[in-house]
Amino acid sequence: MTTNQLSALLRADARAVLENDRRHYFKQIEQAAKVIAANAENRPIILLAGPSGSGKTTSALLIERELEKMGLVTHTLQMDDYFCPLTPEELALLKENKLDLEKPTRVDIPFFQEHLDRILACEEIELPRYDFKTSTRVFEGRRLHRKPGELVIMEGIHALNPTVTGHADTTARVYVSVRTRITALDGMTLHPSKIRLARRLLRDRTGRGRKLTETIGMRDRVDRGEQLYIMPYKELAHCSIDSFYSSEMSIYKSYLYEDLKALVPEYPDLADLVQIFSELPEVPSELVPTDSLLREFIGGSELNY
């Protein structure tokens, strides 16, 4: 897809482009829900994985909503809540942006697998919540007691890694990522990882209080982690979802373009992202539906993250 084609479509009718994006994405959600429902009796745990910025959380919640429409009671949990609390030494490294947050051992694997076993056994558990601002695990009295026939979605970057999750015979598996590429006027193709970077820049700034430069500084480790710890397991998925929205870069433009353009001298590898922004028209975020995947990154979603 080229910026020239996208620009013409967006200038003619941005709402129609957004609606077409939405239909394409929701069709994949519906298909994933059908696959899960067909195996619900034997695979009550759904493992949903994908690289950072792929839209895992929205995809999980929308699959849950679709399964509920089918009469299947479904609960969605985030594997991030099972991250290990950081030690004082790790916190110091985090402040210096030197801590590798992508390793599977970031998950408290014994604790996570204990909870997974108990969920499968229909035993009640108290759910943790990971506080990203303090890098600690907290308990707030939230409990889950799965009943026979109910489903549980576990979403996280390491959800398909059998070392972390196990339970191959009792899980349905979904992989979410951005696969479609955008081509600039000069033939340069923007890699999907750069679209996910744009998403992370927005999400980290609004949801985790990080400066753009902090998220950019983490990119090499994030990319390395994806290649080592996420991509090798995507073939284990029973179905996959391309979370690309053709309109999204035009939506993000008002949030990121000027800031990133100012950072290009310091971070030259952002030039391709800035170029794509420069070639696309700006589309107001007010046009984005409240259940859109894009709301995971720009805010204002009706979904309960």
Side-chain angles (χ1 to χ4, degrees):
M1 183 169 290
T2 68
T3 55
N4 208 24
Q5 293 169 325
L6 273 174
S7 296
L9 291 169
L10 289 165
R11 289 193 174 100
D13 193 340
R15 287 183 186 276
V17 176
L18 276 161
E19 181 56 29
N20 186 63
D21 287 342
R22 186 179 185 277
R23 282 198 302 267
H24 177 69
Y25 171 67
F26 271 73
K27 186 176 181 180
Q28 296 176 85
I29 293 292
E30 291 166 4
Q31 183 57 39
K34 289 177 183 176
V35 171
I36 292 165
N39 298 278
E41 184 176 352
N42 297 320
R43 299 180 183 273
I45 303 295
I46 299 96
L47 302 175
L48 189 148
S52 182
S54 60
K56 295 183 297 297
T57 304
T58 297
S59 297
L61 293 173
L62 291 176
I63 289 172
E64 175 188 331
R65 190 165 76 177
E66 199 64 29
L67 290 167
E68 293 273 358
K69 289 178 185 176
M70 298 178 185
L72 293 165
V73 176
T74 307
H75 312 273
T76 297
L77 305 180
Q78 295 186 16
M79 287 180 63
D80 287 6
D81 287 327
Y82 289 86
F83 281 169
C84 296
L86 297 184
T87 65
E89 293 76 16
E90 289 171 327
L91 284 170
L93 289 171
L94 181 64
K95 288 180 181 179
E96 297 175 9
N97 206 10
K98 295 180 180 178
L99 184 65
D100 187 351
L101 299 174
E102 309 306 314
K103 292 182 178 180
T105 50
R106 184 83 177 87
V107 179
D108 187 339
I109 295 174
F111 178 53
F112 173 78
Q113 290 189 350
E114 176 196 344
H115 268 202
L116 204 56
D117 289 340
R118 292 177 64 186
I119 289 169
L120 281 165
C122 294
E123 297 177 5
E124 186 177 58
I125 59 170
E126 183 176 5
L127 296 170
R129 180 179 67 82
Y130 193 81
D131 187 333
F132 280 93
K133 293 184 178 178
T134 61
S135 299
T136 58
R137 182 192 299 151
V138 296
F139 292 90
E140 301 168 321
R142 294 188 308 136
R143 309 192 77 83
L144 172 66
H145 192 176
R146 185 183 80 87
K147 298 178 178 60
E150 294 182 354
L151 304 177
V152 174
I153 300 173
M154 288 281 192
E155 67 94 352
I157 63 174
H158 299 300
L160 296 187
N161 186 332
T163 303
V164 177
T165 54
H167 297 285
D169 296 333
T170 54
T171 59
R173 298 180 291 278
V174 182
Y175 183 77
V176 181
S177 193
V178 178
R179 294 199 301 269
T180 304
R181 299 175 184 237
I182 302 175
T183 302
L185 295 174
D186 64 2
M188 180 275 295
T189 299
L190 186 71
H191 193 275
S193 64
K194 287 294 184 69
I195 296 174
R196 292 190 288 102
L197 173 61
R199 292 175 173 185
R200 292 201 308 273
L201 289 168
L202 288 168
R203 180 200 64 196
D204 288 359
R205 183 165 62 181
T206 57
R208 299 181 181 179
R210 289 182 186 150
K211 297 177 182 178
L212 296 182
T213 51
E214 290 178 311
T215 301
I216 293 166
M218 297 166 64
R219 204 192 79 183
D220 286 346
R221 284 195 296 278
V222 169
D223 290 347
R224 177 178 174 275
E226 289 169 6
Q227 296 301 319
L228 290 176
Y229 310 126
I230 301 172
M231 301 301 184
Y233 306 108
K234 65 180 182 179
E235 302 304 325
L236 298 177
H238 296 109
C239 55
S240 61
I241 294 171
D242 182 359
S243 65
F244 173 74
Y245 268 53
S246 65
S247 55
E248 65 182 289
M249 299 304 288
S250 288
I251 297 294
Y252 303 155
K253 183 172 181 176
S254 65
Y255 296 89
L256 292 174
Y257 177 46
E258 294 299 333
D259 288 337
L260 294 185
K261 188 164 63 171
L263 289 172
V264 167
E266 186 178 356
Y267 301 97
D269 63 337
L270 296 177
D272 52 358
L273 196 52
V274 170
Q275 181 179 344
I276 294 295
F277 278 134
S278 72
E279 294 179 11
L280 291 172
E282 186 176 307
V283 174
S285 60
E286 290 77 13
L287 298 182
V288 180
T290 55
D291 65 351
S292 171
L293 171 87
L294 306 186
R295 290 286 177 188
E296 182 176 337
F297 309 105
I298 66 172
S301 178
E302 68 181 54
L303 301 176
N304 184 19
Y305 296 116

